[in-house]
Amino acid sequence: MSRRVTPALLLAAALSACAVGPDFHPPNTHVPEAWHDLARADASALPHAHAASDAIAPAPPAIVVDSDPDPRWWRHFHDATLDALIEQARAGNLDLQQAVLRIVEARTQVQSAAAQGLPNLRANASYQREQLGLKGFLQSNGVYDKVDQLGAPNSPVNAVAPGGGPGLQKQAGDVLDQLTSPVNLWQAGFDASWELDLFGRVRRSVEAASADVDAARESRNDALLSLEAEVAQTYLQLRGAQASRAVAMHLVDDARDTLALTKSQAAVGLASALDVKQASAQLAQAQAGVAPFDSQIAEAANGLALLVGAEPGALDSQLMRDAPLPSLPRRIALGLPSTLARRRPDVRQAEAQLHAATADVGVAVAQFYPDITLTGQIGTRASHASDLARWSHLFYSFGPAISLPIFEGGALVANLHLADARQAQAALAYRKAVLVALRDVDNALAVYRTDLAHRDALSTAADTERSAYDLARERYSKGFVSFIEVLDAERQWAQTQAQFVQAQTQVETDLVALYKALGGGWENAA
């Protein structure tokens, strides 16, 4: 007997393992072996700061490709406040919390899809008062006329049973009244059904829903990566604005000293009243240059508060005390282009979406095949509720049901073509995501490299302009040059110094953009 059962079990197992449609395989990522921008200008050719400005603009970080980027790249700036802000943003950012809830939503969809392949059991109970309308059918077929004839003297029934005509007529009438009167119907029981999913429609649906969970998870990772980069860039912009304000305040001090020097020169006849007026105007202009940086600092602080999920002013105790721009890391690890697709959440999300689209093709194919469902029903029926517990009122039914699509006006074919088109679009979207990732890294490298050269040039220029300004003030104090030359030297140095601070801020934000393009920062997140 076991030999007879075994082939049937094997056949059932083989059918249950069958899932029509294409199986998903991770796509091949065709990427170059080396970064294009490094081939254009390798890291050793990056310009270094002039020796005279080493204290302001140290040598740029070394770029290496033999190790992957550090997932916690922001720690290489060695700034405890930045580290704390990113941890606060991870815990409190509202957009990130919404992304987490989208993962929960997607997981619920998986449970809903998987439930379609499980047995379905329902309890039911009902009460109905029914009028079947039998009286009309009986009248139209002459049943009541025959009952009326039971009381006639020459009735065949009376001939057989003398004296029983009126009694039989009454009994027959009572039976008809019972049959044609409304009845109560009480029912209680259970219904069960189970779709066997022989061709994998439910399993493909679960596969697609699971891939949607992966896509939602990678969307959250991408949101986390963008959040960390935005926090870092906003923080650097705040510190850059504070550094620019410090330069502006230094200019105010210099302008105030120059005014005092000019007044003392005018007192002994070595400067004119015009020189004093010009020095006063220069001080007023320097003081006016401070206000824009105050607004930049306030806007950056409020922006950081929003990113961590707090109200404006909540971070003032952390941020409003002036601090220098963080230092650049000593080395920047890029990794190889071949590992970029596994690090970038947007590429991973595109792959998950391609997986879901491939599984949807399987769902569309499975709709061409028959659905086989096992159904069953058991319960009791009675005209009185007290009789529902009696076995004599038991009813049941069970057996398989099969549904095979024959003609649906081309709807199934259209659904399959639609699923194929969406899969092709998802494949192209994945390829584009890879190309966008490569472009982002190459652009970030190019921008960082050129902005670094620009910063170093400004560093040298700022040192030179500062020396020229100090020399002009010294010569003016001795009466060798006019006050115009002092003002011109001060203006040149102020502009160059402000440009250098902006360039230094830009280089550091460029580095954050490079880290973001490389795709690190989500791996160790909870």
Side-chain angles (χ1 to χ4, degrees):
M1 179 177 179
S2 61
R3 294 181 179 178
R4 295 179 181 177
V5 175
T6 302
L9 293 177
L10 293 176
L11 178 60
L15 289 175
S16 64
C18 175
V20 297
D23 294 326
F24 175 75
H25 300 284
N28 292 325
T29 305
H30 302 286
V31 296
E33 296 181 357
W35 301 108
H36 176 64
D37 188 70
L38 296 186
R40 183 190 299 121
D42 58 56
S44 63
L46 288 173
H48 291 262
H50 191 273
S53 59
D54 283 345
I56 300 177
I63 295 180
V64 296
V65 297
D66 56 355
S67 60
D68 289 335
D70 185 355
R72 296 181 179 271
W73 47 264
W74 55 89
R75 295 190 174 184
H76 292 270
F77 286 101
H78 303 291
D79 191 301
T81 303
L82 175 59
D83 297 343
L85 286 172
I86 289 183
E87 293 303 321
Q88 288 177 264
R90 282 185 168 197
N93 183 261
L94 301 181
D95 292 334
L96 195 59
Q97 293 177 19
Q98 291 179 6
V100 172
L101 291 178
R102 285 191 287 271
I103 298 177
V104 176
E105 179 183 358
R107 286 175 176 167
T108 305
Q109 293 293 337
V110 174
Q111 296 175 355
S112 177
Q116 299 178 24
L118 298 176
N120 190 346
L121 179 64
R122 296 178 300 274
N124 59 76
S126 65
Y127 163 76
Q128 291 179 329
R129 182 167 178 80
E130 296 183 348
Q131 172 58 268
L132 301 179
L134 292 177
K135 186 174 183 179
F137 287 102
L138 296 175
Q139 288 177 342
S140 63
N141 286 279
V143 175
Y144 278 92
D145 294 338
K146 294 179 181 179
V147 171
D148 292 339
Q149 293 176 3
L150 292 177
N154 58 350
S155 170
V157 176
N158 291 334
V160 176
L168 290 176
Q169 183 185 30
K170 184 176 183 305
Q171 292 176 5
D174 291 342
V175 171
L176 290 178
D177 288 341
Q178 290 179 1
L179 291 176
T180 58
S181 63
V183 296
N184 296 324
L185 181 61
W186 298 82
Q187 179 172 318
F190 297 91
D191 294 331
S193 63
W194 183 18
E195 183 178 349
L196 297 183
D197 193 32
L198 297 181
F199 301 99
R201 182 187 65 83
V202 174
R203 278 167 287 158
R204 291 300 191 192
S205 298
V206 173
E207 182 183 354
S210 299
D212 287 336
V213 173
D214 294 337
R217 185 182 298 111
E218 298 304 336
S219 176
R220 177 261 185 189
N221 292 338
D222 192 45
L224 176 60
L225 173 62
S226 299
L227 172 64
E228 292 164 347
E230 188 172 1
V231 169
Q233 288 181 330
T234 306
Y235 175 75
L236 293 173
Q237 289 167 359
L238 181 140
R239 293 308 187 201
Q242 289 177 339
S244 296
R245 186 183 186 279
V247 172
M249 290 302 299
H250 187 63
L251 290 176
V252 170
D253 294 338
D254 283 351
R256 187 176 289 110
D257 292 343
T258 302
L259 177 59
L261 174 63
T262 305
K263 287 181 177 180
S264 64
Q265 294 284 75
V268 296
L270 296 178
S272 64
L274 178 60
D275 292 342
V276 175
K277 292 291 186 182
Q278 289 177 331
S280 299
Q282 187 72 9
L283 175 60
Q285 289 179 357
Q287 291 172 335
V290 176
F293 299 115
D294 290 332
S295 63
Q296 292 177 19
I297 293 170
E299 290 175 1
N302 291 337
L304 287 170
L306 177 62
L307 291 175
V308 303
E311 68 279 0
L315 302 178
D316 286 357
S317 60
Q318 291 177 259
L319 302 176
M320 287 309 174
R321 182 178 299 175
D322 288 356
L325 274 165
S327 58
L328 292 173
R330 295 182 178 180
R331 63 194 299 269
I332 302 172
L334 299 182
L336 295 173
S338 58
T339 64
L340 181 63
R342 304 314 308 164
R343 289 197 308 268
R344 288 268 299 218
D346 55 341
V347 178
R348 294 162 62 94
Q349 180 183 5
E351 180 180 332
Q353 290 170 342
L354 176 57
H355 188 177
T358 304
D360 285 337
V361 174
V363 174
V365 173
Q367 291 175 347
F368 287 88
Y369 291 81
D371 290 333
I372 300 177
T373 305
L374 299 180
T375 61
Q377 185 180 30
I378 188 171
T380 58
R381 294 193 188 100
S383 58
H384 297 88
S386 59
D387 294 334
L388 289 177
R390 296 183 178 181
W391 282 107
S392 59
H393 293 270
L394 178 70
F395 73 92
Y396 65 86
S397 65
F398 63 88
I402 184 170
S403 174
L404 176 65
I406 296 176
F407 177 75
E408 296 194 16
L412 297 182
V413 175
N415 287 339
L416 179 58
H417 290 169
L418 180 61
D420 286 334
R422 288 175 175 171
Q423 183 194 30
Q425 292 178 38
L428 293 175
Y430 174 80
R431 178 58 182 158
K432 181 180 179 181
V434 174
L435 294 178
V436 168
L438 293 171
R439 180 208 63 184
D440 289 347
V441 175
D442 195 76
N443 285 352
L445 281 171
V447 171
Y448 171 74
R449 175 171 52 84
T450 54
D451 284 349
L452 190 61
H454 178 64
R455 183 210 68 174
D456 291 349
L458 286 173
S459 175
T460 303
D463 287 350
T464 304
E465 296 292 351
R466 178 66 191 188
S467 299
Y469 172 56
D470 292 340
L471 180 60
R473 286 188 61 185
E474 181 181 358
R475 290 172 60 83
Y476 174 71
S477 65
K478 297 179 180 180
F480 295 150
V481 297
S482 66
F483 186 68
I484 297 298
E485 294 186 24
V486 176
L487 294 179
D488 186 62
E490 183 180 17
R491 178 182 57 81
Q492 293 288 345
W493 174 74
Q495 291 178 352
T496 307
Q497 184 66 14
Q499 291 172 1
F500 168 75
V501 173
Q502 294 174 1
Q504 177 70 8
T505 305
Q506 186 62 50
V507 167
E508 299 201 12
T509 56
D510 290 345
L511 184 55
V512 173
L514 176 58
Y515 281 128
K516 179 184 177 182
L518 291 172
W522 55 268
E523 295 88 342
N524 296 330

